[in-house]
Amino acid sequence: MTNINCIGQEKLGKAEIVELRNYEKEDNYFPHDCSMESDMLDKANELDKNRNTLTVKNIANDGFTGHSIVLKLNSKLEVKKAEYDEWTDVLDGSTTNYKIDRVELKLNSDPFNSKNFIGYYTLYMTGYYKAGDILEKEGVKDEQFDREFKGKFNTTCEK
């Protein structure tokens, strides 16, 4: 299994409270909600909230590939920490690390004053791909690239 992980950065962005009329089922944001129930996951979305900090954890895993995202916000809705990790079962010696440059996060309500809320986010990252010994022998080169990941979560369908 190949692990691909990310290092969080400071001053990543600030969540905006906007009017999100509903939680779209079909759009270009990856869903982390109760519609993702599977044998591989207990929950696709986890929240840990106290007076000063909110941590949102999103995960997807189909048994072959997957990803996880962690966003940590302070009470001023500033994104203080962001982590991205993805994996695949391909064993070729390559690795990819991501540096999160910026996070855009939109929420339908202040999560410190609401139990149920929805959020849409985009992670802007720089990826660092290292081919590894096996692929280097085949002429594959290391590279740096930009990447976006669009995700969403819904706490209103929590059981």
Side-chain angles (χ1 to χ4, degrees):
M1 193 174 253
T2 299
N3 272 331
I4 305 166
N5 48 45
C6 177
I7 302 164
Q9 303 296 309
E10 300 246 353
K11 298 182 183 180
L12 294 167
K14 185 172 181 175
E16 294 179 62
I17 307 298
V18 298
E19 187 173 334
L20 297 172
R21 295 188 193 276
N22 57 2
Y23 185 79
E24 295 289 332
K25 289 289 183 193
E26 300 295 328
D27 60 19
N28 62 352
Y29 288 81
F30 193 96
H32 298 89
D33 57 33
C34 55
S35 68
M36 289 185 61
E37 290 181 13
S38 74
D39 293 337
M40 300 298 296
L41 293 174
D42 288 333
K43 285 184 172 182
N45 182 54
E46 292 182 30
L47 298 173
D48 182 18
K49 180 169 60 169
N50 63 37
R51 269 188 15 203
N52 301 319
T53 306
L54 169 71
T55 304
V56 177
K57 296 179 183 178
N58 291 165
I59 189 166
N61 186 353
D62 66 9
F64 301 103
T65 63
H67 66 259
S68 67
I69 294 101
V70 176
L71 301 174
K72 191 170 279 196
L73 286 76
N74 65 16
S75 59
K76 297 176 186 175
L77 301 181
E78 297 168 325
V79 180
K80 299 307 283 182
K81 180 179 180 181
E83 297 176 347
Y84 179 83
D85 184 40
E86 67 181 39
W87 54 90
T88 179
D89 63 349
V90 175
L91 298 173
D92 61 10
S94 67
T95 59
T96 304
N97 291 299
Y98 291 95
K99 176 184 153 280
I100 298 178
D101 301 311
R102 182 170 54 97
V103 177
E104 285 181 7
L105 174 60
K106 295 180 185 333
L107 303 169
N108 71 329
S109 63
D110 185 335
F112 291 95
N113 298 324
S114 176
K115 182 179 178 183
N116 293 317
F117 54 94
I118 60 177
Y120 285 76
Y121 59 86
T122 303
L123 305 178
Y124 297 93
M125 303 177 275
T126 303
Y128 302 92
Y129 174 79
K130 179 144 180 54
D133 293 340
I134 296 170
L135 294 175
E136 283 177 351
K137 290 176 184 174
E138 296 178 14
V140 177
K141 303 285 183 201
D142 297 348
E143 67 177 304
Q144 179 179 324
F145 57 93
D146 293 329
R147 174 156 183 220
E148 289 181 16
F149 180 90
K150 293 184 175 212
K152 62 184 176 180
F153 55 88
N154 182 358
T155 67
T156 62
C157 66
E158 297 280 319
K159 295 177 182 172

